[in-house]
């Protein structure tokens, strides 16, 4: 019996499987690279350069961080956050770029985070007073699981001005952690109308204060 002849189909199958595996691996690497933002994106380079040029503006905003918001640190250097991904109040995926044109105070919070719960009423009051087409408090809930628990909490404490932004994957928090912007919750980012980070802080603050409003106006003034 010619064992070589018998083994040829099996050999072909093994070779075909190996080739398929190589191709699948290449595709996976390509997909992962695209998801990680490692593909060529000329617009991303332009955005990064534009943000890095705002060091003076970030420094000025940092200098305005006093009193109740003294923990806010100037971005060093400012960086583009336009590609940060989360869900809008309708549950649809968006990036921060969707809010282009307005200064954003982004706050990541969770129902299991006691300091987060404590500062939500002040964030809601800040949005009620200052929220307009040029400014928004974007409070992004990062509880895993369904929307039921965070929505129930917001309803129980009477939150009426904040819109319900959401990311139940922890992807947003992990992205900020990768960028050395998040150590825990809450984490708050002050972002200009072009999606550039101007200042950031970890931990809670009293947001419905003159100190906070002065800080936000300093960021908005830089957009003029």
């Amino acid at each position: 019996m010619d064992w070589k002849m018998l083994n040829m189909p099996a050999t072909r199958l093994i070779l075909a499987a190996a080739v398929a595996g190589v191709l699948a691996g290449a595709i996976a690497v390509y997909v992962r690279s695209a998801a990680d933002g490692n593909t060529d994106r000329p617009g991303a380079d332009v955005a990064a350069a534009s943000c890095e040029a705002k060091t003076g503006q970030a420094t000025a905003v940092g200098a305005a961080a006093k009193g109740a918001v003294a923990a806010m640190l100037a971005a060093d250097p400012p960086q583009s956050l336009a590609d940060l991904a989360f869900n809008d109040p309708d549950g649809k995926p968006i990036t921060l770029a969707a809010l282009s044109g307005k200064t954003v105070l982004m706050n990541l919070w969770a129902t299991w985070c006691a300091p987060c719960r404590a500062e939500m009423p002040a964030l809601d009051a800040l949005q009620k007073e200052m929220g307009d087409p040029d400014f928004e408090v974007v409070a992004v809930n990062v509880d895993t699981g369904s929307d039921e628990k965070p929505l129930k909490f917001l309803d129980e404490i009477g939150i009426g001005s904040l819109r319900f932004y959401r990311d139940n994957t922890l992807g947003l928090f992990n992205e900020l952690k990768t960028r050395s912007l998040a150590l825990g919750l809450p984490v708050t980012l002050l972002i200009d109308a072009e999606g550039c980070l101007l200042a950031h802080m970890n931990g809670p603050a009293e947001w419905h204060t003159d100190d906070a409003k002065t800080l936000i106006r300093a960021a908005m003034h830089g957009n003029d």
Side-chain angles (χ1 to χ4, degrees):
M1 183 179 292
D2 191 341
W3 291 101
K4 292 183 179 179
M5 292 297 292
L6 287 174
N7 285 335
M8 284 183 67
T11 301
R12 290 196 188 100
L13 287 173
I14 293 170
L15 289 173
V19 171
V22 170
L23 289 174
I27 292 171
V29 170
Y30 173 80
V31 171
R32 185 167 60 251
S33 296
D36 292 342
N38 293 328
T39 53
D40 293 332
R41 295 184 302 155
D45 292 337
V46 172
S50 175
C51 290
E52 288 175 4
K54 297 186 178 186
T55 299
Q57 183 181 345
T59 300
V61 170
K66 299 177 180 179
V69 292
M72 252 311 183
L73 302 175
D76 184 23
Q79 60 180 285
S80 176
L81 299 183
D83 60 349
L84 291 183
F86 48 100
N87 288 342
D88 71 11
D90 294 323
K92 298 178 180 178
I94 61 168
T95 64
L96 188 66
L99 300 174
S100 177
K102 64 172 64 179
T103 298
V104 168
L105 186 73
M106 176 179 280
N107 176 275
L108 272 63
W109 68 280
T111 57
W112 46 261
C113 164
C116 301
R117 296 169 68 100
E119 68 178 0
M120 292 307 293
L123 287 167
D124 188 58
L126 179 64
Q127 172 62 21
K128 183 176 181 179
E129 180 177 341
M130 294 192 68
D132 62 23
D134 297 322
F135 172 73
E136 183 176 356
V137 177
V138 176
V140 185
N141 175 262
V142 296
D143 280 56
T144 55
S146 73
D147 296 350
E148 182 179 359
K149 187 174 181 180
L151 283 173
K152 181 180 179 181
F153 166 70
L154 294 176
D155 182 61
E156 287 176 348
I157 64 172
I159 298 300
S161 297
L162 293 175
R163 302 175 72 202
F164 186 61
Y165 292 96
R166 184 91 159 95
D167 174 35
N168 68 351
T169 69
L170 287 180
L172 177 58
F173 176 82
N174 287 331
E175 173 63 22
L176 294 178
K177 185 176 179 181
T178 298
R179 299 188 188 210
S180 299
L181 296 175
L183 301 175
L185 293 177
V187 57
T188 306
L189 314 167
L190 186 54
I191 305 159
D192 78 359
E194 295 179 351
C196 299
L197 176 68
L198 298 179
H200 60 97
M201 69 177 289
N202 281 266
E206 180 50 64
W207 291 108
H208 193 220
T209 59
D210 290 340
D211 292 328
K213 287 178 273 188
T214 296
L215 175 68
I216 290 163
R217 291 190 185 104
M220 296 177 70
H221 179 71
N223 297 326
D224 295 339

